[in-house]
Amino acid sequence: MTTTTPGSAVTPTPASSVETDPRPAVSDSETELAARLRLAVLRLSRRLRQQVAGGVTATQVSALATIERLGSPTLGELAASEQVRPPSMTKIVVGLEEAGLVNRQVDAEDRRVARVMLNAEGRRVVQRSRSLRTAYLARRLRRLSAPERQSLGELVRLLEVLVEEP
Amino acid sequence: MTTTTPGSAVTPTPASSVETDPRPAVSDSETELAARLRLAVLRLSRRLRQQVAGGVTATQVSALATIERLGSPTLGELAASEQVRPPSMTKIVVGLEEAGLVNRQVDAEDRRVARVMLNAEGRRVVQRSRSLRTAYLARRLRRLSAPERQSLGELVRLLEVLVEEP
DNA sequence: TGGCATTAGTTAGTGAATCTAATTAGAATG
DNA sequence: CATTCTAATTAGATTCACTAACTAATGCCA
């Protein structure tokens, strides 16, 4: 797989539990924060998954948004970006195709490659998922204090850094 | 269910997609941040779930950590805290019991209630999950810049606020 | 006190999500 | 041209989580 497409990454590899790490130790409070962060992320993701609108699951919306963002990604690129394995993404895309939200096309230069693109309905679904009424997180964010909102951009950036491949 | 236990909450209810909300509109940049937050959380949770150590899944570790944190919670409290429905938590706890990590006890004052508590092995598993070698997030957090680390506590708190029941 | 409503947890059944192993087809290389 | 590598798919299995229905226990009120 070539890595010339913007935003593309290699397929996520299983993490090793036995790696040797020479870096300085993390303090206890940092370990505590890591533990709390882990709990919060897992819990929040459950909440997000519970929001199903118009028959479109959180997993599907996420994939649609990523397709929009990456612009006709290959199936492998999409899988890597979403942090799932290619067979998993094949299934997700098949479901989106059956729902009439995306189209798949063989790449003109490499016939092994399937490119995924939003069709008009898929675009609508993504837009709608971001509307005030349907966007669960947008609604919750309105309950934050002004200082908390200030921190929001930084929080999002930090989480995105954590998601990136090591 | 009484709500006198610290950290307890009612069972999460399905979100309504048709609620009327009179609050001021969120700006576009905030909507954008919400969308990015959503993607980051879902992706990061996938990464966390991919970390399986010693045969203990991310879901089990999360439940163990919450049991430790809440201190012999009722099954309902545990489910609410973890953002899953009671039947789901019954299954998780059954698995943990079979793995020899927790014990269940009928509450002395209300025989409907099952309290869950860590046994010695469960305590060990939670501690181990927080060690430098095994804590995926702790390892990743060490790659943050110093200013990012400064903000960490606040950002974790912000995420926890988002998880809380509306 | 008895009947009814409410509550806590469990069982049964189903579907979503994701992984690994294997396979197929296409591209690259010597 | 043969071999190796790569992208996606298929098949099978596991994990995770929901809903509906049920059982047992508790609380409340006439």
Side-chain angles (χ1 to χ4, degrees):
Chain A
M1 177 171 76
T2 63
T3 54
T4 55
T5 309
S8 70
V10 296
T11 304
T13 54
S16 164
S17 307
V18 289
E19 93 187 358
T20 307
D21 200 312
R23 287 211 185 80
V26 177
S27 71
D28 279 349
S29 67
E30 279 171 322
T31 303
E32 170 70 9
L33 282 178
R36 281 170 58 197
L37 179 57
R38 178 194 174 89
L39 284 181
V41 167
L42 287 174
R43 289 170 178 168
L44 189 50
S45 76
R46 279 172 174 148
R47 273 195 171 270
L48 293 174
R49 284 181 188 280
Q50 286 160 8
Q51 322 303 324
V52 178
V56 189
T57 67
T59 297
Q60 290 176 324
V61 171
S62 183
L64 288 172
T66 300
I67 294 164
E68 187 192 52
R69 218 170 269 269
L70 296 182
S72 67
T74 67
L75 205 126
E77 285 163 354
L78 186 54
S81 187
E82 289 287 278
Q83 308 299 327
V84 297
R85 301 291 187 271
S88 307
M89 188 48 75
T90 299
K91 287 208 174 113
I92 293 167
V93 169
V94 163
L96 290 173
E97 217 176 6
E98 285 170 359
L101 303 181
V102 303
N103 290 308
R104 270 192 287 187
Q105 270 185 344
V106 175
D107 187 81
E109 305 186 338
D110 185 339
R111 302 192 56 74
R112 297 172 300 182
V113 170
R115 287 196 173 273
V116 191
M117 41 212 69
L118 291 185
N119 62 26
E121 182 60 18
R123 239 180 305 278
R124 261 193 296 275
V125 167
V126 176
Q127 293 310 320
R128 207 181 306 137
S129 78
R130 291 186 181 133
S131 80
L132 285 190
R133 285 279 153 79
T134 59
Y136 169 80
L137 266 184
R139 299 199 313 267
R140 293 198 65 81
L141 293 179
R142 271 187 301 190
R143 298 182 178 182
L144 299 182
S145 64
E148 284 169 336
R149 286 174 172 221
Q150 290 299 319
S151 306
L152 199 48
E154 196 177 339
L155 167 65
V156 171
R157 218 171 303 116
L158 177 57
L159 288 179
E160 286 169 344
V161 168
L162 291 177
V163 173
E164 289 304 308
E165 184 65 42
Chain B
M1 176 171 76
T2 63
T3 56
T4 57
T5 311
S8 68
V10 296
T11 305
T13 54
S16 162
S17 307
V18 289
E19 89 186 0
T20 307
D21 200 315
R23 287 212 184 81
V26 177
S27 71
D28 279 350
S29 68
E30 280 171 321
T31 303
E32 171 70 10
L33 280 179
R36 280 170 59 198
L37 178 57
R38 179 196 174 85
L39 284 182
V41 166
L42 287 174
R43 289 169 181 172
L44 190 49
S45 75
R46 279 171 174 150
R47 271 195 175 271
L48 293 174
R49 285 180 189 279
Q50 285 160 7
Q51 322 302 325
V52 177
V56 188
T57 66
T59 297
Q60 289 176 321
V61 172
S62 183
L64 288 173
T66 301
I67 294 165
E68 186 192 54
R69 216 170 272 270
L70 295 182
S72 68
T74 69
L75 205 123
E77 284 162 357
L78 186 54
S81 188
E82 289 288 276
Q83 308 297 328
V84 298
R85 302 290 187 272
S88 307
M89 188 48 74
T90 300
K91 289 212 174 109
I92 294 168
V93 168
V94 165
L96 290 174
E97 215 174 8
E98 286 171 356
L101 304 180
V102 301
N103 291 306
R104 269 191 288 185
Q105 270 185 344
V106 175
D107 188 80
E109 303 185 341
D110 185 340
R111 301 191 59 72
R112 296 172 301 183
V113 170
R115 287 196 175 273
V116 192
M117 41 211 68
L118 292 185
N119 62 25
E121 181 59 20
R123 238 179 307 277
R124 259 191 298 276
V125 167
V126 175
Q127 293 309 321
R128 208 180 306 137
S129 77
R130 291 189 181 128
S131 81
L132 285 191
R133 287 281 155 76
T134 59
Y136 170 81
L137 266 183
R139 297 199 314 267
R140 293 197 63 80
L141 292 180
R142 270 186 302 190
R143 298 183 179 180
L144 299 182
S145 64
E148 285 169 334
R149 285 169 170 226
Q150 290 301 317
S151 312
L152 199 49
E154 189 182 343
L155 300 181
V156 170
R157 215 172 307 114
L158 185 50
L159 267 189
E160 287 168 341
V161 168
L162 291 176
V163 174
E164 289 302 311
E165 184 64 43

